[in-house]
Amino acid sequence: MSPTLARPAQSHFRWTVCALLFFATTINYVDRQVLSLLAKTLEVHIGWTASEYGSITSAFAVAYAIGLLGTGRLLDKVGTRIAFAIAVGVWSAAAMAHAAATSALTFGMARVLLGFGEAANFPACIKTVAEWFPKRQRGIATGIFNSGANIGAVVTILLVPWMAEKYGWQSTFLATGAIGFIWVGLWLLIYRQPELHPKVSAEELALIRSDPPDKVESVPWRRVFPKRETWAFALGKFFTDPIWWFFLFWLPKYLQDTYHLSLMDIRIPTLIVYNASTVGSVAGGWLSGSLINRGWSVNKARKTAMLICALCVVPVLYAPYAGNMWVVVGILSLAMAAHQGWSANLFTTTSDMFPRVAVGSVVGIGAAAGAGGNALMLKFAGLVVTWTGSYFILFMISGSAYLVALAIFQLLSPRLEQARLD
């Protein structure tokens, strides 16, 4: 703690930092989803084919996966303040560059740059939470910033079609990209390490540092990669991230195919589902933190919360038999809320199992595994729907994936202990 700082008597500044992470995640998802909403409009204006559009979206996924492997290590070496600002600046510039694109090739180039920049968001957020929160509060903090993904999806649905119709499609990319630069300015102005921040009281700093100190100062990537704890997290992401992306990308089409809804008709059902997932993200993080505060071990609290979330996805198995759209919406609302609660706790396990200096690398590895699973699941979904005309197999996979992932996690990290890196 710096003796030269005049610190306030009391503070809760860590929640201001958490708010910055929430807004970064919201902007991340808005920038990511603008193109999907405008795909049909741009097909007319730019003249690309369905195959070219597929290549554009694939380019983003590949760049995102590659970026995840590198950004975690960059965050650990450079620090969150500078590395996160650079990443948001890169993806904001890429988002604005879409407005100047005139062909499938130039859109693909902008998309690749967007993927590389956006890959840093979740590793940076998790690392920041590890730096600013004690273990017992990391679940709720992660749930809060993670809910920005759902808010971003809702904001995109509500605003992007209106902006495109009123001001032209270019305006949507310019506006969403510009918001990112505003965030960068606020981040650089506000963010410092807790020990160096003048708005952090001695009492709050003591709370932030109440966990035992890390035993290592630097962890090479090659020492993190082979650890069982790394693969517990990575396989958890590999099996469950694709379910979230399946719901995001295929839910509107499923509702249209099954219940013959128009594009305007599906807005209310999708908004209900996304809003439910926002609640789940915060509730899942709160649950594990509440159990820890009641005296439960970190291992028992995290895994109990993850088990409850996994069980809440199981009703998806009934979705193909429901027959009523609103029953399906209710089931999927519960499932997506449960996913976000699961995700909040799964992310937090990285800071339970690894020292702060290694968290960014571990999250990057796990998120890359999740991105690989996404690519496989989305391709598989297209083949299954094309070949069978049914979503039955996809719902069966979705309903069981979380229990499988939790079983693998338990096998690889039965006590959620710190990985041995020294």
Side-chain angles (χ1 to χ4, degrees):
M1 192 166 107
S2 174
T4 62
L5 295 180
R7 296 181 177 274
Q10 291 185 326
S11 69
H12 303 280
F13 196 78
R14 63 194 183 281
W15 298 109
T16 300
V17 173
C18 187
L20 284 171
L21 302 181
F22 166 83
F23 286 116
T25 305
T26 300
I27 295 167
N28 182 279
Y29 264 69
V30 169
D31 288 342
R32 184 181 306 185
Q33 290 196 266
V34 170
L35 183 64
S36 62
L37 284 178
L38 297 180
K40 200 68 179 178
T41 300
L42 292 170
E43 183 179 301
V44 174
H45 285 277
I46 304 300
W48 61 43
T49 65
S51 176
E52 288 173 327
Y53 176 68
S55 298
I56 292 169
T57 55
S58 296
F60 172 84
V62 171
Y64 191 82
I66 295 172
L68 283 166
L69 293 174
T71 54
R73 184 58 180 159
L74 177 65
L75 286 159
D76 289 338
K77 287 181 69 69
V78 178
T80 49
R81 182 174 184 268
I82 300 301
F84 203 4
I86 292 172
V88 179
V90 167
W91 96 51
S92 298
M96 298 182 76
H98 286 67
T102 57
S103 66
L105 176 61
T106 51
F107 264 96
M109 293 170 62
R111 213 67 188 163
V112 166
L113 187 61
L114 183 71
F116 278 126
E118 289 207 341
N121 184 76
F122 285 97
C125 288
I126 295 297
K127 185 174 176 63
T128 303
V129 167
E131 292 171 346
W132 274 86
F133 289 86
K135 286 185 178 181
R136 63 182 180 274
Q137 292 186 345
R138 289 176 190 171
I140 183 63
T142 302
I144 290 172
F145 89 70
N146 194 44
S147 68
N150 318 312
I151 299 300
V154 171
V155 169
T156 308
I157 292 171
L158 293 176
L159 294 183
V160 166
W162 171 80
M163 286 187 65
E165 183 175 337
K166 190 171 182 64
Y167 301 108
W169 63 266
Q170 294 93 338
S171 68
T172 60
F173 291 109
L174 293 172
T176 54
I179 293 172
F181 285 109
I182 295 173
W183 184 92
V184 170
L186 290 173
W187 176 258
L188 292 174
L189 179 66
I190 293 174
Y191 188 83
R192 300 289 186 279
Q193 287 291 319
E195 297 86 350
L196 303 176
H197 210 294
K199 293 189 178 181
V200 175
S201 67
E203 180 183 3
E204 183 177 20
L205 187 59
L207 173 64
I208 293 170
R209 294 291 175 255
S210 59
D211 296 319
D214 295 334
K215 296 181 180 180
V216 293
E217 296 181 357
S218 179
V219 181
W221 192 85
R222 67 181 180 275
R223 288 169 59 190
V224 172
F225 188 81
K227 295 299 178 181
R228 290 189 310 163
E229 293 82 1
T230 300
W231 287 100
F233 174 71
L235 290 174
K237 296 286 286 180
F238 178 82
F239 280 99
T240 60
D241 274 15
I243 310 307
W244 169 258
W245 286 104
F246 165 64
F247 290 150
L248 282 182
F249 286 106
W250 286 88
L251 175 59
K253 188 177 188 309
Y254 170 74
L255 294 176
Q256 288 178 300
D257 290 346
T258 306
Y259 300 103
H260 311 293
L261 303 180
S262 69
L263 184 60
M264 297 297 289
D265 291 336
I266 64 172
R267 289 186 304 167
I268 292 178
T270 53
L271 285 174
I272 290 173
V273 172
Y274 292 148
N275 283 320
S277 62
T278 303
V279 176
S281 181
V282 178
W286 168 85
L287 176 60
S288 61
S290 176
L291 294 175
I292 292 171
N293 288 333
R294 293 182 182 183
W296 289 38
S297 68
V298 172
N299 178 57
K300 186 177 179 181
R302 297 274 190 253
K303 290 176 181 175
T304 298
M306 292 167 72
L307 175 61
I308 291 172
C309 292
L311 292 174
C312 287
V313 184
V314 172
V316 166
L317 298 173
Y318 178 70
Y321 306 101
N324 182 284
M325 184 191 74
W326 295 111
V327 173
V328 172
V329 169
I331 290 172
L332 294 179
S333 295
L334 178 63
M336 291 189 74
H339 170 86
Q340 290 296 71
W342 162 280
S343 184
N345 283 282
L346 182 63
F347 270 131
T348 308
T349 62
T350 60
S351 56
D352 296 329
M353 297 185 293
F354 290 90
R356 296 178 185 90
V357 292
V359 166
S361 295
V362 174
V363 172
I365 293 169
N374 294 341
L376 293 174
M377 180 63 171
L378 293 174
K379 181 66 175 178
F380 180 69
L383 293 175
V384 167
V385 173
T386 300
W387 291 342
T388 69
S390 169
Y391 291 77
F392 176 81
I393 295 175
L394 301 171
F395 281 126
M396 296 303 104
I397 293 172
S398 301
S400 57
Y402 295 80
L403 290 174
V404 172
L406 182 57
I408 293 172
F409 193 102
Q410 173 65 16
L411 180 66
L412 293 174
S413 183
R415 297 181 179 85
L416 205 63
E417 294 175 328
Q418 280 265 321
R420 295 182 178 272
L421 299 178
D422 53 357

